[in-house]
Amino acid sequence: MTDTTADAQARSTDEAGRNPAAPGGARTVASAVTPALVARLARGITAGEGAERVTTAAPLTGEPLADLPQSSPADVEEAYRRARRAQRDWAALPVRRRAAVLLRFHDLLLARQDEVLDLIQAETGKTRLHAFEEVLAAASAARHYGRKAASYLRDRRRGGALPVLTHTLEGRRPKGVIGQISPWNYPLELSVSDALPAFAAGNAVVNKPDTQTALTALWARELLVEAGLPADVWQIVVGDGPVVGPAVVEHADYVSFTGSTRTGRQVAQQAAGRLVGASLELGGKNALLVLADADLDRAAEGAVRACFSSAGQLCISIERLLVHRSVADEFLARFTARTKALRLGGGLAYGADMGSLVSERQLETVTRHVEEAVKAGATVLAGGRPRPDLGPLFHEPTVLDGVTPGMAVCTEETFGPVVSVYRFDTEDEAVEIANSTPYGLNSSVWTKDARRGRAVAARLHTGTVNVNEAYAAAYGSVASPMGGMGDSGLGRRHGAEGILRFTEAQTVSTQRLLPIGPSHGLDDERFAALLTTGLRAMKALGFR
Ligand code: NAD
């Protein structure tokens, strides 16, 4: 593959003779997301009569996309009232009945995926393949919790205060109504994958998606209702983050937040003030390590996916490439060639390799990080420029060399298609560079020796590590926890932790035959002596 992005794009424009941002050109955002569809979906928003309205724009074209009512703080209160009422009956159902809804949702989602792929592409500007990753992730979470919720939530027998005499069960009760706040970058996955285990555990959810991607969340809610979820159990409110977000936290029994570290801190403080728990899935500055013995072709292919999926607007995508000096030239030749060959595009069909950024704000950050770095002495190995010829928010996949710690792109999350390259001589040095960030979300290690890869992984300060994969291996392992260390967050989604966070543990102990106190004529002293003997006997018998 030797095409430059510009060459490849220019060729596709000439051959197709159509807007280069829409290869295939047959279906447009406007024809897929009609006013009737928007009006139908918008009815799922909890907002009063005469609510203020906001019109979103399609990133691919800049054209108006959806005119949506905005919820007020009073609407958020109303959403909680409805959710609380509905939650009581929902929680009273056997867990298997609730889990069956998730399993039906899984099947419906796979069957109707084209509808939501259009919406995701229209709202985010990502390619169809990157949108499909959301379907994959949401379906995997639905199936996992659909099958496993009952076992995660079942009562568990625990050792009692007194062997035989005390029967103790640990149970799991729903928290009540979960306040869920989600970002725009993975609108299906991040509205559904946390909500599903919350529902399975008997909770209701009041969800505030980002306004930019509300249609996708509203579609997912419609589908889950079709699968059997009582409509009021999932409330969706839409509005300005700093106004509606705090209102969501204000009434929640638990908060599930995904977004930036800056907002996450505010949410955590507000939740702490109310003494309610919160899980926080935040930003990252993720590193990919190419060890000296890596398969360089596989590593280069994986690194391209790691850096440029969803145009780098993926919390677990890679922004720092750490390469062993002995293979750096060879690896970079392969990696930059693959990067330059990526086909940029935004039609509502499979084919393009990388899509658009989502907003002016994202494009501004990406452009600023690249320009500042270049001004301060960094070298552009690939890309480096916005591409307004393709659409208002396109930017080339960009590889920077010679990046130093004073540059924003070195330390701050860019959240775009920009990666910088660093060389290392020893494994210790690689681990030190990888860990030299307050973030700790995801990392990736490439080596022919899987055992060595896992040994390096154990030294990396990130919640997930992928050995010989970019990010999908760990994220797709939905039975195992996913989340961040340090500034990347608190708590975990997926696995047991991903559902138990939405429950309160409750211990129920039943005492039989003898009370735990002086009785049957024992005075306090003899009772204490008896229990002392009892404790020694339990130790001798190996209890507790
Ligand atoms: P953001 O923090 O600006 O917004 C996230 C959500 O919070 C939005 O719905 C927003 O409206 C809302 N919000 C804004 N201010 C609020 C406030 N004061 N109180 C409550 N809610 C408020 O983040 P973003 O730019 O939309 O998303 C990108 C960020 O999300 C990146 O940093 C990315 O790494 C992170 N992210 C993390 C994960 C993960 O799993 N760790 C996944 C996706 C995205």
Side-chain angles (χ1 to χ4, degrees), residues 181-186 190 208-211 239-246 249 257-264 266-267 270 280-284 313-316 361-362 413 415 439 441 475 482-484 488 493:
I181 299 175
S182 21
W184 45 263
N185 68 322
Y186 274 65
L190 297 174
K208 192 203 92 59
D210 194 290
T211 306
D240 191 28
V243 178
V244 177
V249 179
F257 174 83
T258 306
S260 66
T261 299
R262 190 178 51 82
T263 311
Q266 294 171 13
V267 168
Q270 194 190 350
L280 306 162
E281 303 286 347
L282 310 178
Q313 300 168 118
L314 164 64
C315 56
I316 47 184
R361 193 181 76 164
Q362 289 303 116
E413 182 184 47
F415 216 54
Y439 292 113
L441 192 57
Y475 196 91
M482 184 275 154
S488 291
R493 59 166 59 103

Side-chain angles (χ1 to χ4, degrees), residues 41-320:
L41 292 172
R43 283 198 285 277
I45 298 173
T46 309
E49 290 292 319
E52 232 182 88
R53 301 186 80 87
V54 160
T55 303
T56 63
L60 291 171
T61 60
E63 286 163 3
L65 180 64
D67 175 45
L68 299 173
Q70 302 292 287
S71 313
S72 66
D75 294 327
V76 176
E77 263 189 85
E78 173 59 19
Y80 272 95
R81 253 192 306 278
R82 291 182 198 172
R84 276 191 203 293
R85 262 198 312 267
Q87 189 262 339
R88 280 181 223 123
D89 290 343
W90 176 242
L93 292 178
V95 61
R96 285 185 193 286
R97 290 263 305 275
R98 297 196 300 260
V101 173
L102 274 58
L103 294 173
R104 280 195 292 276
F105 175 77
H106 167 274
D107 295 350
L108 286 172
L109 177 59
L110 293 186
R112 306 250 302 267
Q113 58 179 283
D114 277 332
E115 295 173 31
V116 77
L117 291 176
D118 283 350
L119 287 173
I120 296 171
Q121 286 201 275
E123 291 195 308
T124 66
K126 66 175 77 176
T127 67
R128 204 153 187 92
L129 182 63
H130 299 149
F132 175 74
E133 286 187 357
E134 297 203 45
V135 170
L136 196 60
S140 302
R143 181 103 181 114
H144 177 70
Y145 287 114
R147 290 179 61 234
K148 297 285 184 191
S151 107
Y152 284 135
L153 297 170
R154 75 180 166 78
D155 286 353
R156 286 188 157 67
R157 186 81 188 265
R158 302 294 185 203
L162 296 176
V164 184
L165 301 181
T166 317
H167 170 277
T168 292
L169 288 177
E170 176 190 324
R172 291 283 164 175
R173 313 287 172 243
K175 290 270 187 188
V177 183
I178 309 300
Q180 182 189 309
I181 299 175
S182 21
W184 45 263
N185 68 322
Y186 274 65
L188 174 67
E189 158 61 4
L190 297 174
S191 59
V192 160
S193 290
D194 292 318
L196 292 175
F199 293 136
N203 299 282
V205 170
V206 173
N207 172 211
K208 192 203 92 59
D210 194 290
T211 306
Q212 174 63 32
T213 51
L215 295 178
T216 301
L218 289 160
W219 183 90
R221 176 179 174 276
E222 268 196 8
L223 201 71
L224 204 58
V225 169
E226 195 176 324
L229 185 80
D232 275 355
V233 169
W234 187 355
Q235 300 285 324
I236 293 192
V237 291
V238 171
D240 191 28
V243 178
V244 177
V248 169
V249 179
E250 187 53 37
H251 303 284
D253 299 318
Y254 182 85
V255 180
S256 168
F257 174 83
T258 306
S260 66
T261 299
R262 190 178 51 82
T263 311
R265 280 189 209 285
Q266 294 171 13
V267 168
Q269 278 168 8
Q270 194 190 350
R274 297 191 51 240
L275 289 182
V276 299
S279 54
L280 306 162
E281 303 286 347
L282 310 178
K285 190 72 187 172
N286 309 307
L288 180 149
L289 283 61
V290 182
L291 304 190
D293 70 340
D295 177 327
L296 297 184
D297 269 327
R298 283 188 58 201
E301 185 276 330
V304 167
R305 276 185 291 116
C307 300
F308 304 122
S309 287
S310 276
Q313 300 168 118
L314 164 64
C315 56
I316 47 184
S317 72
I318 295 297
E319 297 196 357
R320 296 181 298 150

